[in-house]
C-alpha cells in the first residue's frame, strides 16, 4: 500500500478556501486517490476520488499533478460545519485492506 | 433510503468477555467491511465480506471474527476482550467489491473495563 503523509492540523476562517495536500511518493500505476471526512463520533464520509488531473463535485475539488506523487483536496468557502478530520487514502479501487492514517484535523473559526 | 445501521450504539464489557456487534448495510449493497478506530487515530481495517465470503482480513488477532448473512447483514465477534479493544467499531458497506466509495455507519462505541 502506498504510504501517505498529510499535515496533522490546519486552521482556517469561514469563507476561506482550504487546501490539504497529501504526499504519496510510492503511488502505484493503478492506484486511485480517495478522500474521506469524519466528524466526531461519526463514521467517515466519502468526499471525492480521482486518478489524475482534476476532479470536482458539489463538495470539493481534487487536484492531482502529472507525476501523481501528491494530491490536493480543495474545500471552497468553508463554514464552521466543515470542521472535521480529513483522510487521504491511496490504493486500488478493489483493495479491500485500506486503512486510514491519522488524517488532517481542519478547524474552521468564525 | 436508510443508511448503514449498527447496533448497539454503546457497549460496556469487562476483560475476558465476548462481544457481538451487528451491522445492516444499505439496501442493495453486497460488501460489508469492519474497522476499528481507537481514539485519536484513523480507522483500521479488520475484515471485508462480499457475497457472504471473507475477502480480506487486516492485521488483527484470531480473537476477532465476522460473518455475513444471506441478507448481507454482518456480525463482528470479539472473544477474550482486552482493555486495548476499547474503540469505535465502524461498519461500512459498498455496492460492489471495490472500496473506493464506502458508506459508513455511526459505529458502536465499545468500552472494556
Amino acid at each position: 500500500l502506498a504510504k501517505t503523509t498529510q499535515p496533522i492540523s490546519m486552521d482556517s476562517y469561514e469563507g476561506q478556501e482550504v487546501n490539504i495536500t497529501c504526499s504519496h511518493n510510492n503511488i502505484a500505476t493503478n492506484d486511485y486517490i480517495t478522500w474521506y471526512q469524519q466528524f466526531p463520533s461519526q463514521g467517515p464520509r466519502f468526499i471525492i476520488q480521482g486518478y489524475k488531473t482534476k476532479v470536482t463535485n458539489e463538495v470539493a475539488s481534487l487536484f492531482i499533478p502529472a507525476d501523481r506523487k501528491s494530491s490536493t483536496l480543495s474545500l471552497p468557502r468553508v463554514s464552521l460545519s466543515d470542521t472535521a478530520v480529513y483522510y487521504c487514502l491511496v490504493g486500488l479501487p478493489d483493495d479491500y485492506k485500506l486503512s486510514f492514517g491519522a488524517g488532517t484535523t481542519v478547524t474552521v473559526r468564525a | 433510503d436508510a443508511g448503514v445501521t449498527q447496533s448497539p450504539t454503546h457497549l460496556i464489557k469487562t476483560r475476558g468477555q465476548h462481544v457481538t456487534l451487528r451491522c445492516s448495510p444499505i439496501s442493495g449493497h453486497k460488501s460489508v467491511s469492519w474497522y476499528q478506530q481507537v481514539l485519536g487515530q484513523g480507522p483500521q481495517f479488520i475484515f471485508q465480506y462480499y457475497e457472504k465470503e471473507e475477502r480480506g482480513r487486516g492485521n488483527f488477532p484470531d480473537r476477532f471474527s465476522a460473518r455475513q448473512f444471506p441478507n448481507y447483514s454482518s456480525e463482528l465477534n470479539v472473544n477474550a476482550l482486552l482493555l486495548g479493544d476499547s474503540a469505535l467499531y465502524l461498519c461500512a458497506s459498498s455496492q460492489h467489491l471495490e472500496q473506493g466509495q464506502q458508506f459508513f455507519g455511526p459505529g458502536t462505541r465499545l468500552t472494556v473495563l
Side-chain angles (χ1 to χ4, degrees):
Chain A
L1 294 175
K3 181 180 177 180
T4 60
T5 303
Q6 306 174 229
I8 294 174
S9 63
M10 297 181 69
D11 289 343
S12 184
Y13 290 92
E14 285 188 293
Q16 291 189 332
E17 178 181 79
V18 172
N19 296 305
I20 309 170
T21 296
C22 178
S23 297
H24 29 79
N25 292 317
N26 296 324
I27 189 169
T29 302
N30 296 326
D31 283 346
Y32 279 70
I33 300 153
T34 308
W35 286 81
Y36 281 83
Q37 173 194 56
Q38 187 177 26
F39 299 112
S41 299
Q42 294 186 26
R45 181 177 74 105
F46 173 89
I47 300 176
I48 198 166
Q49 184 182 63
Y51 180 78
K52 62 179 180 180
T53 62
K54 177 183 175 182
V55 181
T56 298
N57 61 23
E58 64 278 5
V59 177
S61 294
L62 179 59
F63 298 92
I64 306 168
D67 66 5
R68 302 198 333 121
K69 293 184 182 300
S70 68
S71 59
T72 299
L73 175 72
S74 180
L75 306 172
R77 298 178 300 281
V78 294
S79 63
L80 296 176
S81 63
D82 292 317
T83 294
V85 179
Y86 293 82
Y87 298 98
C88 166
L89 287 82
V90 173
L92 296 173
D94 61 352
D95 188 339
Y96 39 73
K97 292 187 177 181
L98 287 180
S99 285
F100 294 61
T104 298
T105 299
V106 173
T107 303
V108 181
R109 307 180 192 279
Chain B
D1 282 342
V4 176
T5 59
Q6 294 186 243
S7 63
T9 306
H10 296 86
L11 201 54
I12 298 176
K13 293 285 189 178
T14 57
R15 283 178 296 174
Q17 285 189 311
H18 162 271
V19 69
T20 297
L21 310 181
R22 295 176 176 84
C23 170
S24 292
I26 291 173
S27 177
H29 284 195
K30 300 180 179 180
S31 173
V32 170
S33 297
W34 287 95
Y35 293 80
Q36 179 195 66
Q37 185 171 26
V38 174
L39 195 62
Q41 299 181 19
Q44 298 301 302
F45 173 79
I46 309 176
F47 285 110
Q48 185 194 27
Y49 277 78
Y50 179 73
E51 286 284 15
K52 299 170 288 260
E53 291 187 4
E54 181 183 308
R55 300 302 295 266
R57 184 187 182 112
N59 188 26
F60 281 81
D62 292 342
R63 299 185 296 108
F64 289 78
S65 63
R67 55 180 176 169
Q68 187 177 34
F69 299 98
N71 66 353
Y72 302 109
S73 67
S74 178
E75 283 183 353
L76 175 70
N77 296 284
V78 187
N79 292 324
L81 286 168
L82 303 174
L83 295 180
D85 294 330
S86 295
L88 180 68
Y89 288 85
L90 295 161
C91 172
S93 76
S94 58
Q95 192 168 9
H96 304 295
L97 184 60
E98 294 82 3
Q99 281 199 337
Q101 190 162 353
Q102 295 189 93
F103 296 83
F104 282 81
T108 294
R109 173 69 65 186
L110 172 65
T111 301
V112 182
L113 303 176

